[in-house]
Amino acid sequence: MKYKNKIAKVLSVSTAVMFGAGLSLMTEAKTFKVAVGDAGGSPQHELGKKFSEVFKQKTGGKHKAKLFVNGQLGSEQDTVNDASMGTLDFSILAINNITPFSPSVGVFTLPYVIQSLDEAVELTQGEVGQELVENTVRDAGVRIIGWTYSGFRVLSNSKKPIKTLADLQGVVVRVPKNEIMIDTYKAWGINPTPMSWAETFTALQQQVVDGQDNPYMTIHSMKFYEVQKYITNVRYIFSIEPLIVSESVFQDQSPKVQQAIIEAGNAATKHSATYLRESEAVIKKDLVSKGMQIDDPANGEKEWIEKATQAVWPKFYDSIGGKDKLNRVLRLLGRSEV
Ligand code: MLT
Protein backbone atom coordinates (compact mmCIF):
# COMPACT_ATOMS: atom_id res chain seq x y z
CA MET A 1 0.00 0.00 0.00
CA LYS A 2 2.85 2.31 0.85
CA TYR A 3 4.19 1.67 -2.61
CA LYS A 4 0.83 2.46 -4.21
CA ASN A 5 0.66 5.71 -2.29
CA LYS A 6 4.07 6.71 -3.53
CA ILE A 7 3.01 6.01 -7.12
CA ALA A 8 -0.21 7.98 -6.65
CA LYS A 9 1.77 10.88 -5.25
CA VAL A 10 4.42 10.84 -7.98
CA LEU A 11 1.68 10.69 -10.62
CA SER A 12 -0.23 13.60 -9.19
CA VAL A 13 2.90 15.75 -8.92
CA SER A 14 4.08 14.91 -12.43
CA THR A 15 0.60 15.56 -13.84
CA ALA A 16 0.65 18.98 -12.21
CA VAL A 17 4.06 19.74 -13.68
CA MET A 18 3.03 18.43 -17.13
CA PHE A 19 0.19 20.90 -17.25
CA GLY A 20 2.49 23.68 -16.17
CA ALA A 21 0.51 24.34 -13.04
CA GLY A 22 3.04 23.02 -10.54
CA LEU A 23 1.97 23.22 -6.91
CA SER A 24 -0.67 25.84 -7.66
CA LEU A 25 -2.91 23.04 -9.02
CA MET A 26 -3.22 21.66 -5.51
CA THR A 27 -4.31 24.97 -4.10
CA GLU A 28 -7.24 25.37 -6.48
CA ALA A 29 -10.71 25.28 -4.95
CA LYS A 30 -11.94 21.73 -4.77
CA THR A 31 -15.10 19.84 -3.90
CA PHE A 32 -13.99 16.65 -2.15
CA LYS A 33 -16.14 13.53 -2.44
CA VAL A 34 -17.24 11.85 0.80
CA ALA A 35 -18.76 8.36 0.54
CA VAL A 36 -21.29 7.60 3.28
CA GLY A 37 -22.30 3.94 3.69
CA ASP A 38 -25.58 4.64 5.50
CA ALA A 39 -28.69 6.64 4.68
CA GLY A 40 -29.48 10.27 5.46
CA GLY A 41 -30.28 10.74 9.16
CA SER A 42 -27.79 8.07 10.27
CA PRO A 43 -24.95 8.81 12.71
CA GLN A 44 -22.54 8.51 9.77
CA HIS A 45 -24.49 11.18 7.89
CA GLU A 46 -24.65 13.39 10.98
CA LEU A 47 -20.86 13.20 11.36
CA GLY A 48 -20.41 13.86 7.64
CA LYS A 49 -22.63 16.96 7.74
CA LYS A 50 -20.68 18.40 10.66
CA PHE A 51 -17.35 17.61 8.98
CA SER A 52 -18.48 19.25 5.76
CA GLU A 53 -19.75 22.39 7.55
CA VAL A 54 -16.59 22.89 9.64
CA PHE A 55 -14.23 22.05 6.77
CA LYS A 56 -15.85 24.67 4.54
CA GLN A 57 -15.68 27.22 7.33
CA LYS A 58 -12.01 26.44 8.15
CA THR A 59 -10.98 26.87 4.51
CA GLY A 60 -12.83 30.20 4.30
CA GLY A 61 -15.39 28.66 1.93
CA LYS A 62 -12.75 27.76 -0.63
CA HIS A 63 -13.03 23.97 -0.33
CA LYS A 64 -16.13 21.86 0.12
CA ALA A 65 -16.86 18.27 1.08
CA LYS A 66 -19.86 16.77 -0.72
CA LEU A 67 -21.61 13.77 0.87
CA PHE A 68 -22.88 10.79 -1.16
CA VAL A 69 -25.13 8.80 1.20
CA ASN A 70 -26.52 5.29 1.03
CA GLY A 71 -23.52 3.61 -0.56
CA GLN A 72 -23.84 5.60 -3.81
CA LEU A 73 -20.06 5.47 -4.24
CA GLY A 74 -19.82 1.72 -3.68
CA SER A 75 -19.89 -0.81 -0.87
CA GLU A 76 -18.10 0.26 2.31
CA GLN A 77 -15.21 -2.13 1.73
CA ASP A 78 -14.83 -0.93 -1.88
CA THR A 79 -14.53 2.65 -0.68
CA VAL A 80 -11.45 1.70 1.38
CA ASN A 81 -9.84 0.36 -1.79
CA ASP A 82 -10.79 3.46 -3.76
CA ALA A 83 -9.49 5.83 -1.09
CA SER A 84 -6.32 3.80 -0.83
CA MET A 85 -5.77 4.23 -4.60
CA GLY A 86 -6.51 7.96 -4.35
CA THR A 87 -9.61 7.74 -6.60
CA LEU A 88 -11.92 8.63 -3.69
CA ASP A 89 -11.22 11.44 -1.19
CA PHE A 90 -13.12 10.48 1.97
CA SER A 91 -15.36 7.70 3.26
CA ILE A 92 -17.42 7.17 6.42
CA LEU A 93 -17.91 3.49 7.18
CA ALA A 94 -18.24 0.93 9.94
CA ILE A 95 -14.92 -0.05 11.48
CA ASN A 96 -15.63 -3.71 10.82
CA ASN A 97 -15.36 -2.90 7.12
CA ILE A 98 -11.81 -1.53 7.61
CA THR A 99 -10.59 -4.55 9.61
CA PRO A 100 -9.97 -6.72 6.51
CA PHE A 101 -7.49 -4.07 5.29
CA SER A 102 -5.86 -3.25 8.63
CA PRO A 103 -6.43 -6.14 11.06
CA SER A 104 -5.23 -4.33 14.20
CA VAL A 105 -8.41 -2.19 14.23
CA GLY A 106 -10.09 -5.50 15.08
CA VAL A 107 -9.32 -4.72 18.72
CA PHE A 108 -12.38 -2.42 18.58
CA THR A 109 -14.51 -5.17 17.02
CA LEU A 110 -13.69 -7.97 19.46
CA PRO A 111 -16.95 -8.93 21.17
CA TYR A 112 -17.66 -7.35 24.55
CA VAL A 113 -14.46 -5.26 24.73
CA ILE A 114 -16.08 -1.81 24.50
CA GLN A 115 -19.00 -1.62 26.91
CA SER A 116 -20.20 2.00 26.69
CA LEU A 117 -20.02 5.22 24.71
CA ASP A 118 -17.61 6.63 27.30
CA GLU A 119 -15.28 3.69 26.75
CA ALA A 120 -15.50 4.11 22.98
CA VAL A 121 -14.60 7.80 23.32
CA GLU A 122 -11.75 7.08 25.73
CA LEU A 123 -10.19 4.47 23.46
CA THR A 124 -10.57 6.27 20.15
CA GLN A 125 -9.31 9.60 21.56
CA GLY A 126 -6.37 8.10 23.43
CA GLU A 127 -3.08 6.42 22.58
CA VAL A 128 -4.75 3.24 21.26
CA GLY A 129 -6.81 5.25 18.79
CA GLN A 130 -3.71 7.14 17.66
CA GLU A 131 -1.85 3.89 17.11
CA LEU A 132 -4.70 2.58 14.97
CA VAL A 133 -4.62 5.78 12.90
CA GLU A 134 -0.94 5.11 12.17
CA ASN A 135 -1.58 1.44 11.42
CA THR A 136 -4.32 2.14 8.89
CA VAL A 137 -2.11 4.65 7.09
CA ARG A 138 0.62 2.00 6.92
CA ASP A 139 -1.60 -1.00 6.06
CA ALA A 140 -4.41 0.47 4.00
CA GLY A 141 -3.24 3.85 2.69
CA VAL A 142 -6.09 5.65 4.46
CA ARG A 143 -6.01 7.97 7.47
CA ILE A 144 -8.73 8.00 10.14
CA ILE A 145 -9.55 11.64 10.89
CA GLY A 146 -12.86 11.26 12.69
CA TRP A 147 -14.91 8.73 14.63
CA THR A 148 -18.68 8.22 14.51
CA TYR A 149 -20.18 6.70 17.64
CA SER A 150 -23.33 4.78 16.69
CA GLY A 151 -24.19 2.65 19.73
CA PHE A 152 -24.31 -1.09 20.27
CA ARG A 153 -25.04 -3.40 17.37
CA VAL A 154 -28.31 -5.10 18.27
CA LEU A 155 -29.66 -8.18 16.55
CA SER A 156 -32.79 -7.82 14.42
CA ASN A 157 -34.80 -10.54 12.67
CA SER A 158 -38.11 -11.16 10.97
CA LYS A 159 -38.88 -14.56 12.49
CA LYS A 160 -39.25 -14.61 16.27
CA PRO A 161 -38.18 -13.11 19.58
CA ILE A 162 -34.64 -14.26 20.44
CA LYS A 163 -33.49 -14.19 24.05
CA THR A 164 -31.27 -17.24 24.34
CA LEU A 165 -28.73 -18.96 22.13
CA ALA A 166 -31.22 -21.81 21.78
CA ASP A 167 -33.67 -19.29 20.23
CA LEU A 168 -30.98 -18.19 17.77
CA GLN A 169 -30.49 -21.63 16.25
CA GLY A 170 -31.93 -21.93 12.73
CA VAL A 171 -32.08 -18.17 12.18
CA VAL A 172 -30.13 -17.03 9.09
CA VAL A 173 -28.16 -13.91 10.04
CA ARG A 174 -26.29 -11.61 7.67
CA VAL A 175 -22.92 -10.34 8.90
CA PRO A 176 -20.34 -8.06 7.29
CA LYS A 177 -17.40 -9.81 5.64
CA ASN A 178 -15.49 -9.66 8.90
CA GLU A 179 -13.83 -12.72 10.40
CA ILE A 180 -14.32 -11.63 14.01
CA MET A 181 -18.07 -11.22 13.55
CA ILE A 182 -18.38 -14.45 11.56
CA ASP A 183 -16.59 -16.34 14.35
CA THR A 184 -18.72 -14.72 17.02
CA TYR A 185 -21.90 -16.12 15.47
CA LYS A 186 -20.16 -19.49 15.05
CA ALA A 187 -19.39 -19.40 18.78
CA TRP A 188 -23.11 -18.80 19.31
CA GLY A 189 -23.84 -21.97 17.32
CA ILE A 190 -24.89 -20.75 13.86
CA ASN A 191 -23.20 -20.21 10.52
CA PRO A 192 -23.85 -16.58 9.55
CA THR A 193 -24.07 -15.30 5.97
CA PRO A 194 -21.29 -12.79 5.10
CA MET A 195 -22.68 -10.14 2.78
CA SER A 196 -21.81 -6.58 1.79
CA TRP A 197 -23.74 -3.77 3.44
CA ALA A 198 -25.08 -2.54 0.10
CA GLU A 199 -26.93 -5.85 -0.44
CA THR A 200 -28.35 -6.18 3.06
CA PHE A 201 -31.71 -4.39 2.86
CA THR A 202 -32.77 -6.32 -0.26
CA ALA A 203 -31.63 -9.62 1.24
CA LEU A 204 -33.75 -8.94 4.33
CA GLN A 205 -36.70 -7.85 2.22
CA GLN A 206 -36.54 -10.92 0.00
CA GLN A 207 -35.96 -13.11 3.06
CA VAL A 208 -32.70 -14.46 1.69
CA VAL A 209 -31.60 -13.85 5.29
CA ASP A 210 -33.79 -13.53 8.40
CA GLY A 211 -31.76 -11.03 10.35
CA GLN A 212 -28.69 -8.86 10.83
CA ASP A 213 -27.08 -6.72 13.51
CA ASN A 214 -26.52 -2.97 13.56
CA PRO A 215 -27.12 -0.08 15.99
CA TYR A 216 -30.64 1.20 16.69
CA MET A 217 -29.80 4.42 14.86
CA THR A 218 -28.74 2.50 11.74
CA ILE A 219 -31.77 0.17 11.83
CA HIS A 220 -33.91 3.31 11.99
CA SER A 221 -32.21 5.36 9.29
CA MET A 222 -32.07 2.36 6.94
CA LYS A 223 -35.82 1.69 7.54
CA PHE A 224 -35.14 -1.91 8.52
CA TYR A 225 -38.37 -1.74 10.56
CA GLU A 226 -40.15 -2.25 7.23
CA VAL A 227 -38.64 -5.73 6.88
CA GLN A 228 -37.71 -6.75 10.48
CA LYS A 229 -39.94 -7.25 13.50
CA TYR A 230 -37.79 -8.38 16.47
CA ILE A 231 -34.73 -6.87 18.13
CA THR A 232 -32.50 -8.53 20.70
CA ASN A 233 -30.71 -5.93 22.76
CA VAL A 234 -27.28 -7.62 22.64
CA ARG A 235 -24.27 -5.45 23.39
CA TYR A 236 -21.49 -7.44 21.76
CA ILE A 237 -19.98 -4.67 19.62
CA PHE A 238 -20.15 -0.94 20.19
CA SER A 239 -20.27 0.42 16.67
CA ILE A 240 -17.56 2.90 15.75
CA GLU A 241 -17.60 4.27 12.23
CA PRO A 242 -14.47 6.13 11.19
CA LEU A 243 -14.19 8.97 8.73
CA ILE A 244 -11.17 8.17 6.56
CA VAL A 245 -9.28 10.29 4.07
CA SER A 246 -7.18 8.87 1.26
CA GLU A 247 -3.58 9.23 2.46
CA SER A 248 -2.37 10.22 -1.01
CA VAL A 249 -5.10 12.88 -1.26
CA PHE A 250 -4.23 14.11 2.25
CA GLN A 251 -0.53 14.36 1.44
CA ASP A 252 -1.32 16.36 -1.69
CA GLN A 253 -2.91 19.13 0.37
CA SER A 254 -1.17 22.21 1.75
CA PRO A 255 -0.45 22.18 5.53
CA LYS A 256 -3.31 24.64 5.95
CA VAL A 257 -5.85 22.38 4.27
CA GLN A 258 -4.49 19.36 6.13
CA GLN A 259 -5.02 21.29 9.35
CA ALA A 260 -8.58 22.14 8.31
CA ILE A 261 -9.26 18.44 7.60
CA ILE A 262 -7.95 17.40 11.02
CA GLU A 263 -9.84 20.13 12.88
CA ALA A 264 -13.09 19.43 11.04
CA GLY A 265 -12.66 15.71 11.82
CA ASN A 266 -12.21 16.50 15.53
CA ALA A 267 -15.25 18.78 15.63
CA ALA A 268 -17.38 16.16 13.85
CA THR A 269 -16.22 13.46 16.29
CA LYS A 270 -17.28 15.56 19.30
CA HIS A 271 -20.62 16.25 17.65
CA SER A 272 -21.16 12.53 17.01
CA ALA A 273 -20.92 11.62 20.71
CA THR A 274 -23.41 14.35 21.60
CA TYR A 275 -25.77 13.27 18.83
CA LEU A 276 -25.79 9.66 20.04
CA ARG A 277 -26.40 10.71 23.66
CA GLU A 278 -29.31 12.91 22.63
CA SER A 279 -30.94 10.71 20.00
CA GLU A 280 -30.63 7.00 20.73
CA ALA A 281 -33.45 6.73 23.29
CA VAL A 282 -35.82 8.68 21.04
CA ILE A 283 -34.97 6.50 18.05
CA LYS A 284 -35.48 3.32 20.10
CA LYS A 285 -38.94 4.51 21.11
CA ASP A 286 -39.79 5.29 17.52
CA LEU A 287 -38.78 1.78 16.42
CA VAL A 288 -41.26 0.39 18.96
CA SER A 289 -43.97 2.74 17.74
CA LYS A 290 -43.28 1.44 14.23
CA GLY A 291 -44.11 -2.08 15.41
CA MET A 292 -40.76 -3.52 16.47
CA GLN A 293 -40.48 -5.66 19.59
CA ILE A 294 -37.32 -5.25 21.68
CA ASP A 295 -36.19 -8.02 24.06
CA ASP A 296 -33.21 -8.23 26.37
CA PRO A 297 -31.08 -11.35 26.17
CA ALA A 298 -31.86 -13.78 29.02
CA ASN A 299 -29.75 -13.88 32.22
CA GLY A 300 -27.91 -10.62 31.62
CA GLU A 301 -26.50 -11.96 28.32
CA LYS A 302 -24.28 -14.38 30.28
CA GLU A 303 -24.15 -17.27 27.81
CA TRP A 304 -23.69 -14.89 24.84
CA ILE A 305 -20.75 -13.19 26.56
CA GLU A 306 -19.07 -16.38 27.74
CA LYS A 307 -19.26 -18.23 24.44
CA ALA A 308 -18.10 -15.23 22.38
CA THR A 309 -15.19 -14.10 24.55
CA GLN A 310 -13.87 -17.60 25.20
CA ALA A 311 -13.91 -18.73 21.57
CA VAL A 312 -13.20 -15.50 19.70
CA TRP A 313 -10.65 -13.46 21.69
CA PRO A 314 -7.79 -16.00 21.63
CA LYS A 315 -8.28 -16.64 17.92
CA PHE A 316 -7.56 -13.00 17.04
CA TYR A 317 -4.69 -12.12 19.40
CA ASP A 318 -2.17 -12.28 16.54
CA SER A 319 -4.16 -10.24 14.05
CA ILE A 320 -4.88 -7.40 16.48
CA GLY A 321 -1.18 -7.12 17.34
CA GLY A 322 -0.84 -9.62 20.21
CA LYS A 323 -2.56 -10.52 23.45
CA ASP A 324 -0.68 -7.63 25.10
CA LYS A 325 -2.56 -5.18 22.93
CA LEU A 326 -5.90 -6.49 24.22
CA ASN A 327 -4.57 -6.42 27.78
CA ARG A 328 -3.48 -2.82 27.34
CA VAL A 329 -7.00 -1.93 26.22
CA LEU A 330 -8.54 -3.84 29.13
CA ARG A 331 -6.18 -2.11 31.59
CA LEU A 332 -7.07 1.30 30.16
CA LEU A 333 -10.73 0.45 30.71
CA GLY A 334 -10.03 -0.66 34.27
CA ARG A 335 -10.80 -4.34 33.63
CA SER A 336 -8.97 -7.55 34.43
CA GLU A 337 -6.41 -8.77 31.93
CA VAL A 338 -6.73 -12.12 30.17
C1 MLT B 1 -22.28 -3.26 8.21
O1 MLT B 1 -23.08 -3.94 8.87
O2 MLT B 1 -21.68 -3.63 7.21
C2 MLT B 1 -22.07 -1.86 8.67
O3 MLT B 1 -22.29 -1.73 10.03
C3 MLT B 1 -22.98 -0.98 7.92
C4 MLT B 1 -22.92 0.44 8.36
O4 MLT B 1 -22.03 1.14 7.96
O5 MLT B 1 -23.78 0.91 9.08
Side-chain angles (χ1 to χ4, degrees), residues 37-38 44 76 92-94 96-97 153 174-177 181 195-197 200 212-215 218 222 239 241:
D38 290 348
Q44 289 186 3
E76 292 196 353
I92 308 172
L93 73 168
N96 45 273
N97 289 326
R153 295 181 74 105
R174 171 269 169 184
V175 284
K177 296 174 186 168
M181 298 166 85
M195 183 184 283
S196 86
W197 180 229
T200 303
Q212 62 85 48
D213 68 63
N214 258 294
T218 309
M222 298 299 290
S239 183
E241 317 201 59

Side-chain angles (χ1 to χ4, degrees), residues 153-170:
R153 295 181 74 105
V154 295
L155 172 64
S156 71
N157 87 93
S158 56
K159 273 194 147 168
K160 58 177 180 179
I162 296 174
K163 296 183 184 171
T164 63
L165 292 182
D167 297 334
L168 179 66
Q169 306 313 301

Side-chain angles (χ1 to χ4, degrees), residues 176-229:
K177 296 174 186 168
N178 175 295
E179 294 302 327
I180 294 175
M181 298 166 85
I182 294 170
D183 280 346
T184 302
Y185 278 91
K186 285 188 176 161
W188 289 337
I190 63 165
N191 251 326
T193 306
M195 183 184 283
S196 86
W197 180 229
E199 294 170 277
T200 303
F201 185 91
T202 311
L204 292 168
Q205 188 175 42
Q206 297 179 347
Q207 298 185 345
V208 175
V209 292
D210 304 316
Q212 62 85 48
D213 68 63
N214 258 294
Y216 287 110
M217 312 275 279
T218 309
I219 289 173
H220 191 268
S221 65
M222 298 299 290
K223 298 191 167 50
F224 280 3
Y225 49 80
E226 290 177 359
V227 290
Q228 299 278 269
K229 164 90 181 145

Side-chain angles (χ1 to χ4, degrees), residues 104-105 107-108 119-136 144 147 324-333:
S104 65
V105 299
V107 74
F108 287 172
E119 290 190 355
V121 170
E122 183 177 346
L123 287 180
T124 50
Q125 302 300 306
E127 57 181 63
V128 176
Q130 190 46 41
E131 207 173 285
L132 296 184
V133 170
E134 285 152 25
N135 291 355
T136 49
I144 297 171
W147 305 90
D324 285 352
K325 173 87 156 275
L326 175 59
N327 277 331
R328 210 170 107 218
V329 167
L330 294 172
R331 268 199 314 274
L332 280 169
L333 299 177

Side-chain angles (χ1 to χ4, degrees), residues 2-124:
K2 257 187 182 164
Y3 183 57
K4 256 187 225 151
N5 284 340
K6 273 194 191 135
I7 294 184
K9 191 149 187 219
V10 168
L11 282 178
S12 79
V13 171
S14 55
T15 311
V17 171
M18 252 170 53
F19 287 96
L23 286 174
S24 66
L25 189 69
M26 292 174 219
T27 60
E28 278 171 12
K30 179 170 171 173
T31 298
F32 292 87
K33 282 189 177 168
V34 186
V36 182
D38 290 348
S42 62
Q44 289 186 3
H45 183 227
E46 198 57 35
L47 176 110
K49 281 193 304 185
K50 190 64 169 183
F51 173 77
S52 172
E53 174 197 319
V54 177
F55 179 58
K56 185 173 166 196
Q57 177 204 323
K58 298 261 171 205
T59 60
K62 183 172 172 186
H63 297 304
K64 297 189 179 64
K66 184 167 189 285
L67 307 178
F68 295 81
V69 294
N70 235 342
Q72 283 172 72
L73 299 186
S75 80
E76 292 196 353
Q77 291 194 4
D78 286 348
T79 65
V80 181
N81 260 326
D82 295 344
S84 159
M85 304 284 285
T87 54
L88 172 67
D89 304 314
F90 294 90
S91 177
I92 308 172
L93 73 168
I95 196 154
N96 45 273
N97 289 326
I98 298 185
T99 320
F101 304 90
S102 189
S104 65
V105 299
V107 74
F108 287 172
T109 317
L110 281 182
Y112 300 103
V113 167
I114 299 179
Q115 294 183 6
S116 66
L117 169 60
D118 288 344
E119 290 190 355
V121 170
E122 183 177 346
L123 287 180
T124 50

Side-chain angles (χ1 to χ4, degrees), residues 262-327:
I262 299 291
E263 286 175 8
N266 288 340
T269 301
K270 275 202 191 96
H271 173 70
S272 178
T274 308
Y275 181 66
L276 181 65
R277 275 195 190 97
E278 287 173 356
S279 320
E280 195 178 38
V282 180
I283 291 295
K284 211 170 149 182
K285 245 183 161 170
D286 198 48
L287 287 174
V288 173
S289 79
K290 287 181 161 43
M292 295 198 86
Q293 175 180 324
I294 303 178
D295 291 297
D296 282 329
N299 300 321
E301 213 168 332
K302 192 165 178 279
E303 58 173 350
W304 302 71
I305 298 172
E306 280 175 6
K307 289 264 195 291
T309 53
Q310 284 164 14
V312 181
W313 284 10
K315 206 168 162 192
F316 290 91
Y317 288 154
D318 285 350
S319 68
I320 61 162
K323 188 175 172 182
D324 285 352
K325 173 87 156 275
L326 175 59
N327 277 331

Side-chain angles (χ1 to χ4, degrees), residues 222-255:
M222 298 299 290
K223 298 191 167 50
F224 280 3
Y225 49 80
E226 290 177 359
V227 290
Q228 299 278 269
K229 164 90 181 145
Y230 303 100
I231 289 183
T232 312
N233 193 33
V234 286
R235 299 162 72 84
Y236 86 116
I237 292 176
F238 186 95
S239 183
I240 295 174
E241 317 201 59
L243 164 59
I244 56 171
V245 58
S246 158
E247 181 63 4
S248 58
V249 169
F250 184 73
Q251 293 303 338
D252 279 345
Q253 307 310 312
S254 66

